[in-house]
Amino acid sequence: TYVINYRVGSCTAAIVFADSSQKETNLFRSYTLSGLQPFTFYKVWVQAVNKEESSTLTSESSNVEAFTTLTDAPSQPQHLQYVNPQSTSVRLQWHPPLHLNGAITKYNIMLANGRFVNPQTHSSKSLAVSMTVDGNITNTTVINLT
């Protein structure tokens, strides 16, 4: 039996892994940790356990391995607002997504003339503006509206 320990931030979790394939001592054992969060730094280490009738004997911890999970799509930007609309321009501002899941590299901004724009396909017959701003910007002015 093995205990797989992992840490994210100040929280530590442990998974007990019973391996019944222990025929040779030089084979690697493997276990897939699932349910991890995207773009998150983890530390992991393993302990071997021998469980006898009335006692449990646990090894010293293995070396600690550290890794960061891959990025994923962010959640939606929060609190979109328009500020001071003019006859041909409007200022937009928003908060970054709650779950960045990586580094935000850009924001796509779509403005339609009274019709809903599908955010996945960007399809609308009355799309007035489609633009991109840098990922560290959370406001912009849309100009030349007609």
Side-chain angles (χ1 to χ4, degrees), residues 18-46:
D19 185 2
S20 60
S21 66
Q22 297 182 18
K23 295 178 182 153
E24 295 183 36
T25 58
N26 63 351
L27 294 178
F28 279 101
R29 307 293 189 259
S30 68
Y31 183 85
T32 300
L33 291 171
S34 58
L36 303 180
Q37 297 299 309
F39 199 63
T40 302
F41 179 75
Y42 288 90
K43 291 181 179 179
V44 64
W45 61 98
V46 178

Side-chain angles (χ1 to χ4, degrees), residues 5-78:
N5 300 282
Y6 65 97
R7 177 182 295 256
V8 57
S10 62
C11 298
T12 301
I15 297 170
V16 177
F17 170 52
D19 185 2
S20 60
S21 66
Q22 297 182 18
K23 295 178 182 153
E24 295 183 36
T25 58
N26 63 351
L27 294 178
F28 279 101
R29 307 293 189 259
S30 68
Y31 183 85
T32 300
L33 291 171
S34 58
L36 303 180
Q37 297 299 309
F39 199 63
T40 302
F41 179 75
Y42 288 90
K43 291 181 179 179
V44 64
W45 61 98
V46 178
Q47 294 174 298
V49 178
N50 288 335
K51 190 166 190 172
E52 298 296 327
E53 291 178 20
S54 62
S55 65
T56 300
L57 305 170
T58 304
S59 74
E60 295 292 322
S61 296
S62 69
N63 58 304
V64 175
E65 289 290 331
F67 64 93
T68 300
T69 52
L70 298 177
T71 61
D72 199 0
S75 60
Q76 71 270 16
Q78 302 291 302

Side-chain angles (χ1 to χ4, degrees), residues 71-91:
T71 61
D72 199 0
S75 60
Q76 71 270 16
Q78 302 291 302
H79 309 293
L80 173 64
Q81 296 177 336
Y82 65 90
V83 180
N84 196 22
Q86 301 295 311
S87 59
T88 61
S89 67
V90 65
R91 182 141 189 90

